[in-house]
PDB file of all heavy atoms in Angstrom:
ATOM      1  N   LYS A 857     -45.668  53.223 -11.686  1.00 96.00           N
ATOM      2  CA  LYS A 857     -46.542  52.819 -12.782  1.00 96.00           C
ATOM      3  C   LYS A 857     -47.602  51.807 -12.375  1.00 96.00           C
ATOM      4  O   LYS A 857     -48.360  51.328 -13.221  1.00 96.00           O
ATOM      5  CB  LYS A 857     -45.693  52.242 -13.924  1.00 96.00           C
ATOM      6  CG  LYS A 857     -44.751  53.262 -14.544  1.00 96.00           C
ATOM      7  CD  LYS A 857     -44.005  52.703 -15.735  1.00 96.00           C
ATOM      8  CE  LYS A 857     -43.116  53.772 -16.373  1.00 96.00           C
ATOM      9  NZ  LYS A 857     -42.400  53.264 -17.563  1.00 96.00           N
ATOM     10  N   LEU A 864     -56.189  47.883  -0.340  1.00 96.00           N
ATOM     11  CA  LEU A 864     -54.835  48.002   0.204  1.00 96.00           C
ATOM     12  C   LEU A 864     -54.624  49.370   0.842  1.00 96.00           C
ATOM     13  O   LEU A 864     -53.961  49.487   1.874  1.00 96.00           O
ATOM     14  CB  LEU A 864     -53.795  47.766  -0.890  1.00 96.00           C
ATOM     15  CG  LEU A 864     -53.580  46.331  -1.356  1.00 96.00           C
ATOM     16  CD1 LEU A 864     -52.550  46.287  -2.474  1.00 96.00           C
ATOM     17  CD2 LEU A 864     -53.133  45.464  -0.191  1.00 96.00           C
ATOM     18  N   ILE A 865     -55.194  50.388   0.215  1.00 97.00           N
ATOM     19  CA  ILE A 865     -55.126  51.733   0.791  1.00 97.00           C
ATOM     20  C   ILE A 865     -55.804  51.745   2.161  1.00 97.00           C
ATOM     21  O   ILE A 865     -55.250  52.228   3.154  1.00 97.00           O
ATOM     22  CB  ILE A 865     -55.796  52.767  -0.138  1.00 97.00           C
ATOM     23  CG1 ILE A 865     -55.090  52.805  -1.508  1.00 97.00           C
ATOM     24  CG2 ILE A 865     -55.813  54.140   0.518  1.00 97.00           C
ATOM     25  CD1 ILE A 865     -53.699  53.337  -1.483  1.00 97.00           C
ATOM     26  N   ASN A 866     -57.019  51.185   2.225  1.00 96.00           N
ATOM     27  CA  ASN A 866     -57.783  51.184   3.474  1.00 96.00           C
ATOM     28  C   ASN A 866     -57.086  50.339   4.538  1.00 96.00           C
ATOM     29  O   ASN A 866     -57.080  50.709   5.726  1.00 96.00           O
ATOM     30  CB  ASN A 866     -59.205  50.675   3.232  1.00 96.00           C
ATOM     31  CG  ASN A 866     -60.026  51.638   2.408  1.00 96.00           C
ATOM     32  OD1 ASN A 866     -59.775  52.842   2.401  1.00 96.00           O
ATOM     33  ND2 ASN A 866     -61.013  51.123   1.690  1.00 96.00           N
ATOM     34  N   HIS A 867     -56.532  49.203   4.137  1.00 96.00           N
ATOM     35  CA  HIS A 867     -55.819  48.346   5.099  1.00 96.00           C
ATOM     36  C   HIS A 867     -54.613  49.073   5.666  1.00 96.00           C
ATOM     37  O   HIS A 867     -54.353  49.024   6.882  1.00 96.00           O
ATOM     38  CB  HIS A 867     -55.388  47.052   4.418  1.00 96.00           C
ATOM     39  CG  HIS A 867     -54.652  46.122   5.333  1.00 96.00           C
ATOM     40  ND1 HIS A 867     -53.272  46.032   5.361  1.00 96.00           N
ATOM     41  CD2 HIS A 867     -55.099  45.252   6.272  1.00 96.00           C
ATOM     42  CE1 HIS A 867     -52.911  45.153   6.260  1.00 96.00           C
ATOM     43  NE2 HIS A 867     -53.997  44.658   6.838  1.00 96.00           N
ATOM     44  N   TYR A 891     -48.798  56.883 -11.351  1.00 97.00           N
ATOM     45  CA  TYR A 891     -49.749  56.932 -10.245  1.00 97.00           C
ATOM     46  C   TYR A 891     -49.032  57.449  -8.996  1.00 97.00           C
ATOM     47  O   TYR A 891     -47.876  57.096  -8.741  1.00 97.00           O
ATOM     48  CB  TYR A 891     -50.311  55.545  -9.939  1.00 97.00           C
ATOM     49  CG  TYR A 891     -51.189  54.972 -11.031  1.00 97.00           C
ATOM     50  CD1 TYR A 891     -50.638  54.165 -12.030  1.00 97.00           C
ATOM     51  CD2 TYR A 891     -52.556  55.214 -11.044  1.00 97.00           C
ATOM     52  CE1 TYR A 891     -51.440  53.623 -13.028  1.00 97.00           C
ATOM     53  CE2 TYR A 891     -53.367  54.671 -12.042  1.00 97.00           C
ATOM     54  CZ  TYR A 891     -52.799  53.882 -13.021  1.00 97.00           C
ATOM     55  OH  TYR A 891     -53.594  53.352 -14.011  1.00 97.00           O
ATOM     56  N   SER A 897     -52.114  59.709   8.579  1.00 95.00           N
ATOM     57  CA  SER A 897     -52.836  59.461   9.819  1.00 95.00           C
ATOM     58  C   SER A 897     -52.435  60.555  10.804  1.00 95.00           C
ATOM     59  O   SER A 897     -51.246  60.713  11.104  1.00 95.00           O
ATOM     60  CB  SER A 897     -52.485  58.076  10.369  1.00 95.00           C
ATOM     61  OG  SER A 897     -53.273  57.750  11.477  1.00 95.00           O
ATOM     62  N   SER A 900     -53.633  65.264  16.100  1.00 88.00           N
ATOM     63  CA  SER A 900     -53.867  66.711  16.054  1.00 88.00           C
ATOM     64  C   SER A 900     -53.174  67.404  17.227  1.00 88.00           C
ATOM     65  O   SER A 900     -53.458  67.090  18.387  1.00 88.00           O
ATOM     66  CB  SER A 900     -55.367  67.004  16.096  1.00 88.00           C
ATOM     67  OG  SER A 900     -56.021  66.380  15.023  1.00 88.00           O
ATOM     68  N   LYS A 943     -55.614  79.952   5.350  1.00 95.00           N
ATOM     69  CA  LYS A 943     -56.961  79.591   5.789  1.00 95.00           C
ATOM     70  C   LYS A 943     -56.947  78.737   7.052  1.00 95.00           C
ATOM     71  O   LYS A 943     -58.015  78.371   7.571  1.00 95.00           O
ATOM     72  CB  LYS A 943     -57.693  78.845   4.673  1.00 95.00           C
ATOM     73  CG  LYS A 943     -57.018  77.549   4.224  1.00 95.00           C
ATOM     74  CD  LYS A 943     -57.756  76.920   3.050  1.00 95.00           C
ATOM     75  CE  LYS A 943     -57.071  75.638   2.583  1.00 95.00           C
ATOM     76  NZ  LYS A 943     -57.762  75.032   1.413  1.00 95.00           N
ATOM     77  N   MET A 969     -38.540  69.360  13.429  1.00 96.00           N
ATOM     78  CA  MET A 969     -38.331  67.944  13.123  1.00 96.00           C
ATOM     79  C   MET A 969     -39.451  67.518  12.180  1.00 96.00           C
ATOM     80  O   MET A 969     -40.614  67.871  12.391  1.00 96.00           O
ATOM     81  CB  MET A 969     -38.338  67.104  14.405  1.00 96.00           C
ATOM     82  CG  MET A 969     -39.552  67.269  15.281  1.00 96.00           C
ATOM     83  SD  MET A 969     -39.405  66.284  16.791  1.00 96.00           S
ATOM     84  CE  MET A 969     -40.990  66.696  17.577  1.00 96.00           C
ATOM     85  N   ARG A 980     -44.819  67.551 -11.884  1.00 94.00           N
ATOM     86  CA  ARG A 980     -44.904  66.084 -11.844  1.00 94.00           C
ATOM     87  C   ARG A 980     -43.703  65.526 -11.079  1.00 94.00           C
ATOM     88  O   ARG A 980     -42.959  64.674 -11.558  1.00 94.00           O
ATOM     89  CB  ARG A 980     -44.978  65.489 -13.248  1.00 94.00           C
ATOM     90  CG  ARG A 980     -46.221  65.900 -14.016  1.00 94.00           C
ATOM     91  CD  ARG A 980     -46.565  64.928 -15.116  1.00 94.00           C
ATOM     92  NE  ARG A 980     -45.408  64.618 -15.945  1.00 94.00           N
ATOM     93  CZ  ARG A 980     -45.192  63.423 -16.512  1.00 94.00           C
ATOM     94  NH1 ARG A 980     -46.038  62.445 -16.325  1.00 94.00           N
ATOM     95  NH2 ARG A 980     -44.148  63.231 -17.259  1.00 94.00           N
ATOM     96  N   ARG A 981     -43.573  66.006  -9.845  1.00 95.00           N
ATOM     97  CA  ARG A 981     -42.400  65.662  -9.036  1.00 95.00           C
ATOM     98  C   ARG A 981     -42.842  65.403  -7.605  1.00 95.00           C
ATOM     99  O   ARG A 981     -43.692  66.096  -7.057  1.00 95.00           O
ATOM    100  CB  ARG A 981     -41.410  66.819  -9.066  1.00 95.00           C
ATOM    101  CG  ARG A 981     -40.179  66.634  -8.174  1.00 95.00           C
ATOM    102  CD  ARG A 981     -39.216  67.776  -8.377  1.00 95.00           C
ATOM    103  NE  ARG A 981     -39.814  69.048  -7.986  1.00 95.00           N
ATOM    104  CZ  ARG A 981     -39.317  70.234  -8.300  1.00 95.00           C
ATOM    105  NH1 ARG A 981     -38.248  70.331  -9.051  1.00 95.00           N
ATOM    106  NH2 ARG A 981     -39.917  71.345  -7.894  1.00 95.00           N
ATOM    107  N   LEU A 982     -42.252  64.360  -7.004  1.00 97.00           N
ATOM    108  CA  LEU A 982     -42.498  64.055  -5.600  1.00 97.00           C
ATOM    109  C   LEU A 982     -41.247  64.406  -4.802  1.00 97.00           C
ATOM    110  O   LEU A 982     -40.152  63.930  -5.100  1.00 97.00           O
ATOM    111  CB  LEU A 982     -42.821  62.568  -5.417  1.00 97.00           C
ATOM    112  CG  LEU A 982     -43.133  62.141  -3.986  1.00 97.00           C
ATOM    113  CD1 LEU A 982     -44.495  62.673  -3.555  1.00 97.00           C
ATOM    114  CD2 LEU A 982     -43.105  60.617  -3.856  1.00 97.00           C
ATOM    115  N   LEU A 983     -41.414  65.237  -3.797  1.00 97.00           N
ATOM    116  CA  LEU A 983     -40.308  65.628  -2.921  1.00 97.00           C
ATOM    117  C   LEU A 983     -40.464  64.929  -1.580  1.00 97.00           C
ATOM    118  O   LEU A 983     -41.501  65.052  -0.922  1.00 97.00           O
ATOM    119  CB  LEU A 983     -40.307  67.146  -2.707  1.00 97.00           C
ATOM    120  CG  LEU A 983     -39.304  67.682  -1.672  1.00 97.00           C
ATOM    121  CD1 LEU A 983     -37.871  67.432  -2.112  1.00 97.00           C
ATOM    122  CD2 LEU A 983     -39.547  69.167  -1.423  1.00 97.00           C
ATOM    123  N   LYS A 992     -37.426  62.291  12.755  1.00 95.00           N
ATOM    124  CA  LYS A 992     -38.643  61.653  12.267  1.00 95.00           C
ATOM    125  C   LYS A 992     -38.284  60.588  11.227  1.00 95.00           C
ATOM    126  O   LYS A 992     -37.479  60.828  10.325  1.00 95.00           O
ATOM    127  CB  LYS A 992     -39.592  62.690  11.664  1.00 95.00           C
ATOM    128  CG  LYS A 992     -40.201  63.626  12.703  1.00 95.00           C
ATOM    129  CD  LYS A 992     -41.007  62.851  13.734  1.00 95.00           C
ATOM    130  CE  LYS A 992     -41.643  63.762  14.751  1.00 95.00           C
ATOM    131  NZ  LYS A 992     -42.397  62.997  15.781  1.00 95.00           N
ATOM    132  N   ASN A1000     -39.037  47.751  -9.431  1.00 92.00           N
ATOM    133  CA  ASN A1000     -38.831  48.039 -10.855  1.00 92.00           C
ATOM    134  C   ASN A1000     -39.972  48.853 -11.447  1.00 92.00           C
ATOM    135  O   ASN A1000     -39.893  49.308 -12.591  1.00 92.00           O
ATOM    136  CB  ASN A1000     -38.638  46.747 -11.655  1.00 92.00           C
ATOM    137  CG  ASN A1000     -39.807  45.792 -11.526  1.00 92.00           C
ATOM    138  OD1 ASN A1000     -40.820  46.106 -10.907  1.00 92.00           O
ATOM    139  ND2 ASN A1000     -39.671  44.618 -12.117  1.00 92.00           N
ATOM    140  N   GLY A1002     -41.725  51.321  -9.299  1.00 96.00           N
ATOM    141  CA  GLY A1002     -41.952  52.548  -8.554  1.00 96.00           C
ATOM    142  C   GLY A1002     -41.305  52.557  -7.177  1.00 96.00           C
ATOM    143  O   GLY A1002     -40.530  51.659  -6.834  1.00 96.00           O
ATOM    144  N   THR A1020     -41.189  41.480   2.210  1.00 82.00           N
ATOM    145  CA  THR A1020     -39.757  41.777   2.121  1.00 82.00           C
ATOM    146  C   THR A1020     -38.920  40.764   2.884  1.00 82.00           C
ATOM    147  O   THR A1020     -39.320  40.243   3.914  1.00 82.00           O
ATOM    148  CB  THR A1020     -39.407  43.210   2.607  1.00 82.00           C
ATOM    149  OG1 THR A1020     -39.720  43.330   4.003  1.00 82.00           O
ATOM    150  CG2 THR A1020     -40.194  44.255   1.836  1.00 82.00           C
ATOM    151  N   LEU A1033     -22.881  43.178  17.545  1.00 73.00           N
ATOM    152  CA  LEU A1033     -22.284  44.473  17.861  1.00 73.00           C
ATOM    153  C   LEU A1033     -23.236  45.430  18.582  1.00 73.00           C
ATOM    154  O   LEU A1033     -22.797  46.476  19.068  1.00 73.00           O
ATOM    155  CB  LEU A1033     -21.779  45.135  16.569  1.00 73.00           C
ATOM    156  CG  LEU A1033     -20.751  44.335  15.768  1.00 73.00           C
ATOM    157  CD1 LEU A1033     -20.476  45.016  14.442  1.00 73.00           C
ATOM    158  CD2 LEU A1033     -19.464  44.138  16.556  1.00 73.00           C
ATOM    159  N   ASN A1039     -27.891  51.972  11.511  1.00 64.00           N
ATOM    160  CA  ASN A1039     -27.778  53.211  10.735  1.00 64.00           C
ATOM    161  C   ASN A1039     -26.542  53.261   9.833  1.00 64.00           C
ATOM    162  O   ASN A1039     -26.172  54.325   9.357  1.00 64.00           O
ATOM    163  CB  ASN A1039     -27.789  54.440  11.652  1.00 64.00           C
ATOM    164  CG  ASN A1039     -29.075  54.551  12.443  1.00 64.00           C
ATOM    165  OD1 ASN A1039     -30.143  54.267  11.923  1.00 64.00           O
ATOM    166  ND2 ASN A1039     -28.968  54.944  13.695  1.00 64.00           N
ATOM    167  N   PHE A1045     -33.551  46.119   8.829  1.00 86.00           N
ATOM    168  CA  PHE A1045     -33.565  44.668   9.006  1.00 86.00           C
ATOM    169  C   PHE A1045     -34.254  43.952   7.847  1.00 86.00           C
ATOM    170  O   PHE A1045     -34.417  42.737   7.892  1.00 86.00           O
ATOM    171  CB  PHE A1045     -34.251  44.308  10.325  1.00 86.00           C
ATOM    172  CG  PHE A1045     -33.456  44.697  11.541  1.00 86.00           C
ATOM    173  CD1 PHE A1045     -33.869  45.731  12.348  1.00 86.00           C
ATOM    174  CD2 PHE A1045     -32.272  44.045  11.860  1.00 86.00           C
ATOM    175  CE1 PHE A1045     -33.136  46.099  13.467  1.00 86.00           C
ATOM    176  CE2 PHE A1045     -31.532  44.401  12.970  1.00 86.00           C
ATOM    177  CZ  PHE A1045     -31.955  45.429  13.777  1.00 86.00           C
ATOM    178  N   GLU A1053     -32.075  59.262   3.844  1.00 91.00           N
ATOM    179  CA  GLU A1053     -31.024  59.983   4.545  1.00 91.00           C
ATOM    180  C   GLU A1053     -31.582  61.254   5.154  1.00 91.00           C
ATOM    181  O   GLU A1053     -32.384  61.956   4.547  1.00 91.00           O
ATOM    182  CB  GLU A1053     -29.877  60.320   3.586  1.00 91.00           C
ATOM    183  CG  GLU A1053     -29.099  59.113   3.117  1.00 91.00           C
ATOM    184  CD  GLU A1053     -27.852  59.494   2.339  1.00 91.00           C
ATOM    185  OE1 GLU A1053     -27.309  60.588   2.621  1.00 91.00           O
ATOM    186  OE2 GLU A1053     -27.454  58.730   1.461  1.00 91.00           O
TER     187      GLU A1053
END
Side-chain angles (χ1 to χ4, degrees):
K857 296 185 177 181
L864 285 178
I865 300 293
N866 291 334
H867 180 261
Y891 293 92
S897 187
S900 302
K943 60 184 179 181
M969 54 183 180
R980 297 203 311 146
R981 176 175 63 194
L982 182 72
L983 173 64
K992 291 300 181 182
N1000 58 5
T1020 64
L1033 302 173
N1039 299 321
F1045 290 109
E1053 291 188 29

